[in-house]
Amino acid sequence: MSCFISKYADELAKNAAYIGTPGKGILAADESTGTIGKRLSSINVENVEDNRRALRELLFTTPGALQYLSGVILFEETLYQKTASGKPFVDVLKEGGVLPGIKVDMGTVELNGTNGETFTQGLDGLAQRCQKYYEAGARFAKWRAVLKISANEPTELAIQENANGLAMYAAICQQCGLVPIVEPEILVDGSHDIKKCAAVTERVLAACYKALNDHHVMLEGTLLKPNMVTPGSDSPKVAPEVIAEYTVRALQRTVPAAVPAIVFLSGGQSEEEATLNLNAMNKLQTKKPWSLSFSFGRALQQSTLKAWAGKEENVKKAQDAFLVRCKANSEATLGTYKGDAKISEGAAESLHVKDYKY
Amino acid sequence: MSAFVGKYAEELIKNAKYIATPGKGILAADESTGTIGKRLSSINVENIESNRQALRELLFTSPNALSCLSGVILFEETLYQKTSDGKPFVEILEENNVIPGIKVDKGTVEIAGTNGETTTQGFDSLGARCQQYYKAGARFAKWRAVLKIGPNEPSELAIQQNAQGLARYAIICQENGLVPIVEPEVLTDGPHDIKKCAAVTETVLAAVYKALNDHHVLLEGTLLKPNMVTPGSDSPKVAPEVIAQYTVTALRRTVPPAVPGIVFLSGGQSEEEATQNLDAMNKLEVLKPWTLSFSFGRALQQSTLKTWAGKKANVGKAQEAFLSRCKANSEATLGKYSRGSAGGLASESLFVKGYKY
């Protein structure tokens, strides 16, 4: 094969296919300590370990929610945390049929000589870290590369560096038994139209898959986490059906059928927008050899966070809100969402933050 | 879009999709004058225009054969030829819903400093030539790039040169209304095993699709003509199911779903081998977002040629032989071929070492 056959090959393919199970998707709960701090401060909650733990416990123990999830991405701290009664989160997830995943990148740094473009760090000692995470129960990983659209961006340099970084990370993960989620996020910031976003997305994804091939990555044991194709944040919005058409076409032109599933990031979309767009894609009658699902962070947690507000007595209300979003997105992966999810306070709220830094 | 959407975009998409119709495939009848000369001399027929015309007339007027075909690739001379009654070949094809295609490359030349690796010529005035061919009725084109497997081959240089060449050819075709068939043939010559062929095929196809993206080619308006993934010619043969498995895996890993159809070349395979392998691929229970069909030259014409032997009295029998192969391959595109049912001289290997077209 062109790809390197890792001793974990069968397991990787099985886990990647499982994550893409229709009706399920991923909860991205891997906010770094700094980022989760911003979330907590928005609801006036102190950023201490116990609060971070309490939030994740709220999510993972929501009755009935885990059936809608095939994976949860965790930050390193969370991988080793437990419920208040002492049960490791990893066990809670596994018992619920949910694969634990782990964020392995170490954030972005600027590329010198560019106009604020970045590449992602985290390759040093990555294999050793991945082995440790595998031992702790993780079965997939995530690495976020970031590109932006502007007059002269993304540059060929930024595209190549990020594609190469993703490919190296992916190859290392596979050697260590972790399914790599490949995430080349093109930020929504800007005044460009949807055609521009489509052109850039196609160019970036083509570069990614060339790099993955060069690095002997086994595509059957990977997942893709791309942006949806949308107008820029400063441009007029378009209907979900339009987003669906441009997004699926971009993927048809670049993502080989060997990739079992595509799990979209939500970017700055509101909870409801993200769900409606995903639903429209799954309703589209066209060639889709990979399943189309979600890997949402903010778009799954926003109303939950607001309902919780850090108070024990709000836990049930918050869990209800979380269940609503999980179920809605599960239906969206099947194209059966009717837009009737009980809209909690905050579900329609845009989550776009200009030039968002994770 | 990343893709160039010119004035012919809708037509290209429609034609590519039609060529990829399940149950149909392509007859590659585009042998250059030199190459067809070798075929004719193998049956002791003189290589003059009227004989070349007679052979193609035999094929294109075979009763019921055209219903198994969605396209025929022609050499330039043939594009302008007629039947003995004076009817242009192009009209016969069009009346029978077969799209005429045209070979536009001008053969291979060696890349200096490599171990016999090649690149393909044909760019000079390609745009203008395509326009002429479009006017004459052609709606798709073909360009053959060649790579070989050796201890140090294919080299990165050869892969890049050929991928770039295919991409540049493809966009020029699309600018002028012709659906480009992208053909990156990895030769079977060699003692390598099927895994090696698979690895090389995947590397080559990945490079080709990156180049097509770089050159803004509209994938929905293209077709791919690859080699099947097989052991080298000096290696033991394997079952059609094995060839099917490795071939489809390689394609799933590299060919974007936007490509409507994949039309295999037959290389040196016998008529029967080629049909069985294609059939096995279509029987494979795995998700295939493009149709899998044929673009066969020798593997459609070999027994027909032998049966004809250049004699008018043999035309009827030769046409029956041709119809038989067309039907067999049509069934193979649907995964419905019964082994050996097409009979005849079909099992003879057509492999020629270091084959030059």
Side-chain angles (χ1 to χ4, degrees), chain B residues 5-69:
Chain B
V5 178
K7 72 182 194 194
Y8 291 107
E10 277 185 34
E11 190 181 324
L12 292 169
I13 294 172
K14 180 169 134 291
N15 286 336
K17 199 151 169 243
Y18 175 71
I19 292 173
T21 304
K24 294 185 190 278
I26 296 174
L27 162 65
D30 61 320
E31 300 88 353
S32 60
T33 307
T35 300
I36 199 65
K38 291 186 213 166
R39 305 261 193 283
L40 294 174
S41 86
S42 79
I43 51 167
N44 295 315
V45 172
E46 202 188 348
N47 187 11
I48 50 175
E49 204 200 322
S50 61
N51 284 339
R52 297 193 289 272
Q53 181 273 343
L55 169 60
R56 274 63 180 263
E57 176 167 349
L58 185 162
L59 297 169
F60 304 162
T61 60
S62 289
N64 303 316
L66 293 190
S67 64
C68 300
L69 304 177

Side-chain angles (χ1 to χ4, degrees), chain A residues 1-3 160 195 198-199 202-203 206-207 210 213 218-220 246 249 251-258 287 289-290, chain B residues 1-3 195 198-199 202-203 206-207 210 213 218-220 246 249 252-260 287 289-290:
Chain A
M1 301 303 113
S2 191
C3 65
Q160 281 309 317
K195 287 189 172 177
E202 288 171 27
R203 190 168 152 223
K210 177 62 165 70
N213 182 279
M218 185 183 84
L219 294 188
E220 293 86 346
Y246 278 85
R249 184 160 55 222
L251 300 168
Q252 286 174 333
R253 289 173 171 178
T254 53
V255 186
K287 281 192 287 191
W290 357 252
Chain B
M1 297 307 113
S2 196
K195 288 188 173 177
E202 288 172 26
T203 301
K210 178 62 165 69
N213 181 277
L218 178 70
L219 294 187
E220 293 87 342
Y246 278 87
T249 298
R252 277 171 49 88
R253 288 174 171 175
T254 52
V255 186
V259 175
L287 211 152
W290 358 252

Side-chain angles (χ1 to χ4, degrees), chain A residues 10-308:
Chain A
D10 288 347
E11 190 182 325
L12 291 168
K14 180 169 137 288
N15 287 338
Y18 176 70
I19 290 174
T21 303
K24 294 184 191 279
I26 296 174
L27 162 64
D30 61 319
E31 300 87 352
S32 61
T33 307
T35 300
I36 199 65
K38 291 185 209 165
R39 304 261 193 282
L40 295 175
S41 87
S42 79
I43 51 167
N44 294 312
V45 172
E46 201 188 352
N47 187 11
V48 293
E49 201 200 324
D50 199 56
N51 285 339
R52 297 193 288 273
R53 192 207 60 76
L55 169 61
R56 275 64 181 262
E57 176 167 350
L58 185 161
L59 298 169
F60 304 162
T61 60
T62 296
L66 294 190
Q67 65 181 298
Y68 300 120
L69 303 177
S70 47
V72 176
I73 321 178
L74 306 167
F75 181 60
E76 184 173 323
E77 176 188 77
T78 323
L79 185 64
Y80 298 101
Q81 284 181 329
K82 307 173 159 78
T83 64
S85 48
K87 185 164 194 160
F89 281 159
V90 165
D91 290 349
V92 173
L93 294 176
K94 282 187 177 159
E95 282 168 21
V98 181
L99 290 174
I102 178 76
K103 184 228 297 289
V104 302
D105 72 74
M106 299 203 155
T108 58
V109 283
E110 279 199 22
L111 280 165
N112 291 320
T114 67
N115 179 21
E117 291 183 293
T118 64
F119 74 97
T120 300
Q121 310 186 107
L123 289 175
D124 294 355
L126 181 58
Q128 286 73 18
R129 293 169 53 221
C130 284
Q131 275 162 36
K132 256 190 12 153
Y133 296 144
Y134 185 94
E135 276 156 34
R139 288 297 177 267
F140 71 95
K142 170 218 146 172
W143 172 289
R144 180 175 174 262
V146 184
L147 293 139
K148 68 175 191 177
I149 296 179
S150 193
N152 303 304
E153 287 82 19
T155 59
E156 186 62 19
L157 173 66
I159 294 175
Q160 281 309 317
E161 279 306 304
N162 282 287
N164 205 53
L166 280 166
M168 286 208 71
Y169 136 81
I172 291 169
C173 281
Q174 291 195 328
Q175 278 181 287
C176 303
L178 302 181
V179 171
I181 294 187
V182 173
E183 180 179 357
E185 173 170 7
I186 298 162
L187 296 174
V188 74
D189 301 56
S191 54
H192 54 272
D193 63 15
I194 194 169
K195 287 189 172 177
K196 175 73 180 182
C197 178
V200 172
T201 301
E202 288 171 27
R203 190 168 152 223
V204 168
L205 289 177
C208 284
Y209 283 96
K210 177 62 165 70
L212 290 169
N213 182 279
D214 288 343
H215 286 256
H216 312 296
V217 176
M218 185 183 84
L219 294 188
E220 293 86 346
T222 65
L223 297 160
L224 178 69
K225 179 166 171 169
N227 50 281
M228 298 186 191
V229 176
T230 69
S233 52
D234 298 333
S235 269
K237 287 198 186 291
V238 300
E241 289 69 31
V242 177
I243 288 174
E245 186 195 325
Y246 278 85
T247 303
V248 175
R249 184 160 55 222
L251 300 168
Q252 286 174 333
R253 289 173 171 178
T254 53
V255 186
V259 176
I262 297 177
V263 292
F264 294 95
L265 60 92
S266 45
Q269 296 179 34
S270 72
E271 289 175 326
E272 190 63 6
E273 267 180 324
T275 304
L276 289 174
N277 289 335
L278 179 62
N279 190 54
M281 286 181 220
N282 280 295
K283 282 173 103 120
L284 209 52
Q285 302 269 351
T286 184
K287 281 192 287 191
K288 291 168 288 186
W290 357 252
S291 57
L292 299 177
S293 185
F294 56 93
S295 176
F296 292 166
R298 286 172 282 172
L300 267 172
Q301 301 179 61
Q302 180 71 358
S303 21
T304 307
L305 212 61
K306 284 211 140 106
W308 178 48

Side-chain angles (χ1 to χ4, degrees), chain A residues 316-338:
Chain A
K316 171 140 192 343
K317 214 170 50 131
Q319 290 186 325
D320 285 348
F322 183 59
L323 181 63
V324 165
R325 287 332 301 173
C326 285
K327 189 153 174 285
N329 284 304
S330 165
E331 287 168 9
T333 71
L334 303 169
T336 60
Y337 180 59
K338 298 200 178 10

Side-chain angles (χ1 to χ4, degrees), chain B residues 93-303:
Chain B
L93 295 177
E94 284 169 354
E95 279 167 16
N96 285 280
N97 298 311
V98 179
I99 303 184
I102 177 76
K103 186 231 293 290
V104 302
D105 73 74
K106 295 193 163 187
T108 58
V109 285
E110 279 200 20
I111 304 175
T114 67
N115 178 21
E117 292 184 290
T118 64
T119 185
T120 301
Q121 310 182 107
F123 286 111
D124 294 354
S125 304
L126 180 57
R129 291 169 54 220
C130 285
Q131 276 169 37
Q132 287 306 309
Y133 297 143
Y134 185 95
K135 284 199 189 102
R139 289 294 178 272
F140 72 95
K142 171 218 144 173
W143 172 287
R144 178 172 173 264
V146 185
L147 292 138
K148 69 175 193 178
I149 297 179
N152 303 305
E153 290 83 19
S155 63
E156 185 61 18
L157 173 62
I159 293 174
Q160 280 307 316
Q161 274 301 299
N162 283 287
Q164 289 295 317
L166 281 165
R168 185 82 191 110
Y169 136 82
I171 194 69
I172 291 172
C173 282
Q174 293 194 329
E175 283 179 281
N176 295 292
L178 302 181
V179 171
I181 294 186
V182 172
E183 180 178 357
E185 173 168 9
V186 175
L187 296 173
T188 50
D189 301 54
H192 55 272
D193 63 14
I194 195 169
K195 288 188 173 177
K196 176 72 180 179
C197 179
V200 171
T201 301
E202 288 172 26
T203 301
V204 168
L205 288 177
V208 168
Y209 281 96
K210 178 62 165 69
L212 291 172
N213 181 277
D214 288 343
H215 287 254
H216 310 297
V217 177
L218 178 70
L219 294 187
E220 293 87 342
T222 66
L223 295 159
L224 178 69
K225 179 166 171 170
N227 50 284
M228 297 185 191
V229 175
T230 68
S233 52
D234 298 333
S235 267
K237 287 197 185 292
V238 300
E241 290 70 29
V242 178
I243 288 173
Q245 180 75 35
Y246 278 87
T247 304
V248 176
T249 298
L251 299 169
R252 277 171 49 88
R253 288 174 171 175
T254 52
V255 186
V259 175
I262 296 177
V263 291
F264 293 95
L265 60 92
S266 44
Q269 295 179 34
S270 71
E271 289 174 326
E272 187 63 12
E273 269 179 325
T275 302
Q276 285 187 18
N277 291 334
L278 179 61
D279 180 68
M281 285 183 222
N282 280 295
K283 287 184 147 95
L284 209 53
E285 305 242 342
V286 78
L287 211 152
K288 293 163 280 185
W290 358 252
T291 59
L292 299 178
S293 184
F294 57 92
S295 175
F296 293 166
R298 286 172 282 172
L300 267 172
Q301 301 178 58
Q302 181 69 0
S303 13

